[in-house]
Amino acid sequence: MLAGAFALLEVLADAEAELGLTEVARRAGLPKSTSHRLLEQLCGMGAVEHRIRGYGVGPMFGRLCEGRGRTHAWIRAAVGRPAVRLAKLTRTDVVVGVLSGSEVLVVATFAGHSARLPVIRPGTVLPSPTPLADVLLTGADVGARSEQVAGRSCAAAPVHAPDGRVVAALGVLSSCPGELARLRQLVGIAAAEAARELTGFPRVR
């Protein structure tokens, strides 16, 4: 039931306009009767609205998204200084990601060369498997593999909240796989710095 409700919310969040019951059910891959029952429950909670032309996301959904955005802002603020130093030191692009389901949502990027843009931009979703996803899902101390991320080899480390949870992954993207061994320790140091910065952001949950 919970999976079905989230499937419906995802469909409505991606829609450019209100959707009728039949179309919502089709896109979510759910029976029409199940979709109707869940949508009415979500309407009662304020997560969905039943409008004249169909269903759309409700005010509660917006508040949840705003809360997620604030969490990302705190993570970006905490990781910023260590990530900028890492990018300058290694002359590689630095990526900060958080989990979005089983995928990685990039919330910040820093170019290793100030004259160009990073190869990945914030808002990009990276499907698994990647070293970034590995450290977010497993909490491994440091992950480094020649596995490609946007055509680059990646070394990554988890950023821990004060309570020990992994809340983000910090990674470097190198065009040279042979550099990963050298980069692993630097990424781990930067991630540890970011974790210390997070102690000043007690609302990260």
Side-chain angles (χ1 to χ4, degrees):
M1 181 181 293
L2 187 60
F6 276 108
L8 293 167
L9 284 171
E10 186 172 4
V11 166
L12 293 174
D14 289 340
E16 296 181 358
E18 294 91 344
L19 296 176
L21 174 60
T22 301
E23 182 62 15
V24 176
R26 185 188 69 79
R27 294 190 188 187
L30 295 171
K32 195 172 177 179
S33 58
T34 301
S35 297
H36 182 264
R37 184 177 71 254
L38 290 174
L39 285 168
E40 290 305 312
Q41 290 175 356
L42 290 167
C43 283
M45 297 166 53
V48 169
E49 288 182 333
H50 197 175
R51 303 169 187 165
I52 295 175
R53 297 184 179 180
Y55 293 94
V57 294
M60 181 183 181
F61 185 85
R63 290 194 295 273
L64 291 172
C65 291
E66 288 173 6
R68 186 185 189 196
R70 286 194 295 271
T71 299
H72 294 171
W74 297 327
I75 290 173
R76 285 192 293 268
V79 172
R81 284 186 294 183
V84 168
R85 284 196 294 268
L86 181 63
K88 290 180 178 178
L89 179 63
T90 62
R91 297 184 68 79
T92 63
D93 286 358
V94 174
V95 177
V96 182
V98 298
L99 271 184
S100 178
S102 61
E103 300 173 322
V104 176
L105 172 66
V106 176
V107 297
T109 55
F110 305 86
H113 300 273
S114 59
R116 63 167 177 76
L117 293 173
V119 295
I120 295 179
R121 304 300 299 276
T124 302
V125 176
L126 304 175
S128 297
T130 65
L132 291 162
D134 287 350
V135 298
L136 285 167
L137 291 168
T138 68
D141 288 341
V142 177
R145 297 206 305 271
S146 58
E147 193 167 322
Q148 296 288 298
V149 175
R152 306 286 179 90
S153 298
C154 180
V159 177
H160 294 271
D163 63 4
R165 290 177 300 115
V166 176
V167 293
L170 181 66
V172 293
L173 305 180
S174 173
S175 58
C176 179
E179 287 288 294
L180 290 184
R182 179 181 69 86
L183 295 175
R184 289 183 64 170
Q185 184 177 6
L186 296 175
V187 176
I189 292 171
E193 281 185 53
R196 288 193 291 273
E197 293 279 352
L198 274 177
T199 59
F201 295 83
R203 293 178 65 191
V204 173
R205 292 180 172 86

